[in-house]
Amino acid sequence: MSGIPHDSKDSGPSGAYQSEDQIDFKKVVAVGLGSLLLFVACTIWAVLILRSETARLKDERGLSAKGAAIGKDEIGIVDQVSFESDDRLGRWQKERSDYLNSFGWVDRAHGIVHIPIEQAMSEVAAGRAPAPTTGKAAP
């Protein structure tokens, strides 16, 4: 070794020239296109297999029956009601409003009744409210 640094563009100790690192874009594009073609071919093959198996099962077992639960508002714990036809909130609000604005028994055996909310608030504001009791909660 002579200890003299060699420039990468000049000839090396063996007399051969070094080339700079370069990307061969033709090879990169060729590999990409080859991969894409392989993917397309495998997808077509999978579709053909699926169609043939579906046809075979249809011949063996016939057409599948429509599910018995289809069209019901709730299947299991999953709510299936369409938004346009769902009126449950309105019904619930009306039931609660009817309860809050009416008289009725909470516990007849203990003599506990409910009164309309407006009347109850007026009596509380006027200081005429009875002592609270431990009755059953509203439905």
Side-chain angles (χ1 to χ4, degrees):
M1 295 213 151
S2 64
I4 301 172
H6 294 285
D7 190 8
S8 63
K9 294 180 182 172
D10 294 337
S11 64
S14 63
Y17 287 98
Q18 295 180 354
S19 66
E20 293 187 27
D21 292 335
Q22 298 214 1
I23 297 174
D24 188 1
F25 287 105
K26 290 181 182 178
K27 288 182 182 177
V28 171
V29 170
V31 169
L33 286 175
S35 299
L36 183 63
L37 290 174
L38 179 63
F39 176 77
V40 168
C42 290
T43 302
I44 292 171
W45 185 28
V47 168
L48 293 174
I49 290 172
L50 178 65
R51 284 185 182 168
S52 67
E53 287 297 308
T54 303
R56 183 182 63 80
L57 288 174
K58 187 188 285 186
D59 291 340
E60 285 179 11
R61 301 178 186 171
L63 293 175
S64 61
K66 183 178 178 183
I70 292 178
K72 291 186 177 179
D73 287 348
E74 190 170 319
I75 300 175
I77 61 170
V78 180
D79 202 11
Q80 302 289 328
V81 181
S82 67
F83 292 118
E84 295 83 24
S85 65
D86 192 6
D87 63 344
R88 292 175 296 174
L89 177 61
R91 283 184 287 151
W92 180 84
Q93 287 174 331
K94 183 176 180 340
E95 289 170 5
R96 301 310 303 153
S97 176
D98 290 347
Y99 181 79
L100 289 173
N101 295 305
S102 66
F103 292 92
W105 288 103
V106 174
D107 187 352
R108 186 173 277 206
H110 292 97
I112 301 172
V113 297
H114 68 84
I115 62 174
I117 189 80
E118 292 295 326
Q119 182 179 346
M121 289 191 299
S122 297
E123 289 187 20
V124 168
R128 295 188 306 257
T133 60
T134 56
K136 294 180 182 175

